[in-house]
Amino acid sequence: GAGVSQTPSNKVTEKGKYVELRCDPISGHTALYWYRQSLGQGPEFLIYFQGTGAADDSGLPNDRFFAVRPEGSVSTLKIQRTERGDSAVYLCASSPTGGWGYGYTFGSGTRLTVV
Amino acid sequence: DQQVKQNSPSLSVQEGRISILNCDYTNSMFDYFLWYKKYPAEGPTFLISISSIKDKNEDGRFTVFLNKSAKHLSLHIVPSQPGDSAVYFCAAIYSGNTPLVFGKGTRLSVIA
């Protein structure tokens, strides 16, 4: 597609439930990033994929968070046993390679609210 | 600890005047710096960047200045326009395969 697509745009879930957030990057972009933006904060890095593999998952806050990119394109961020503190906007970005020369292209994000 | 700091959460400027947004960083290994602009309900969009080997990069109304010795960069917008009202994020990176590190952002309001 023309841009990075994230679905759903909004998700409200009950505490303790499982959620999946989807990211469809720009076609041909090999690098894909997940960030989380809490209220009043800048985007915080979660995980980075180069192709199908997670090149850096050091930003995942705990083992309730997991992400996959099985075919090197679409990625899914999975959160188990959601907590109210997980409420944030989850941003996905892609870039042509792992390089930073042209910055990342971000999607519009998924606003997750845990009630 | 924040590696990229934007100490002004907000800035208000009159239309036509210059807007100056500041950013400080602590990690001397950063070698590339970027500014992103974000409107409500949209993802951040890339605005302008600068390599650490330069001290200035200009693109139309937007100029970024880098002072490596002070670990400081600034974004100048001149003349400011109401459509520039948004949150501006400073970001930094080192090496090609590490993730961007963002500041907390500065909300710019350009008043007509």
Side-chain angles (χ1 to χ4, degrees):
Chain A
V4 177
S5 175
Q6 290 189 247
T7 54
S9 55
N10 280 284
K11 175 73 176 177
V12 180
T13 190
E14 292 182 347
K15 180 175 177 294
K17 299 286 189 183
Y18 167 82
V19 296
E20 289 190 352
L21 311 179
R22 175 188 168 108
C23 173
D24 201 339
I26 292 173
S27 179
H29 279 195
T30 61
L32 185 147
Y33 307 83
W34 282 99
Y35 280 77
R36 175 168 75 171
Q37 186 178 9
S38 302
L39 197 62
Q41 303 294 315
E44 295 176 299
F45 169 72
L46 295 176
I47 186 169
Y48 154 50
F49 287 91
Q50 183 61 260
T52 60
D56 183 349
D57 65 358
S58 62
L60 294 177
N62 51 60
D63 61 6
R64 295 187 298 105
F65 289 74
F66 189 70
V68 295
R69 195 186 185 198
E71 297 177 358
S73 55
V74 171
S75 176
T76 305
L77 178 66
K78 308 179 181 197
I79 310 174
Q80 298 178 323
R81 304 183 305 280
T82 51
E83 299 177 356
R84 293 198 177 88
D86 298 335
S87 296
V89 176
Y90 288 81
L91 294 164
C92 176
S94 69
S95 71
T97 65
W100 34 254
Y102 300 97
Y104 305 165
T105 301
F106 280 89
S108 297
T110 294
R111 179 175 297 278
L112 176 66
T113 304
V114 181
V115 297
Chain B
D1 63 331
Q2 279 239 297
Q3 297 186 70
V4 178
K5 301 178 184 181
Q6 294 178 258
N7 292 320
S8 297
S10 63
L11 174 67
S12 189
V13 171
Q14 279 214 302
E15 181 180 7
R17 300 287 185 117
I18 185 171
S19 296
I20 300 176
L21 295 95
N22 292 303
C23 176
D24 298 293
Y25 62 95
T26 58
N27 191 336
S28 57
M29 291 185 66
F30 287 139
D31 54 10
Y32 206 76
F33 303 89
L34 303 91
W35 285 92
Y36 278 79
K37 177 178 177 180
K38 187 180 183 305
Y39 293 117
E42 295 183 10
T45 55
F46 170 72
L47 187 60
I48 192 169
S49 63
I50 188 166
S51 164
S52 60
I53 62 172
K54 297 187 174 182
D55 55 16
K56 177 182 174 181
N57 188 28
E58 190 171 354
D59 183 2
R61 298 186 295 114
F62 303 91
T63 303
V64 57
F65 295 92
L66 175 63
N67 182 333
K68 280 190 68 177
S69 61
K71 295 194 179 70
H72 176 84
L73 62 154
S74 61
L75 174 67
H76 292 212
I77 307 173
V78 57
S80 301
Q81 299 173 353
D84 296 330
S85 297
V87 177
Y88 289 79
F89 291 102
C90 174
I93 198 167
Y94 59 96
S95 89
N97 288 320
T98 59
L100 279 176
V101 178
F102 285 85
K104 289 187 177 184
T106 296
R107 181 178 301 278
L108 173 66
S109 299
V110 180
I111 304 162

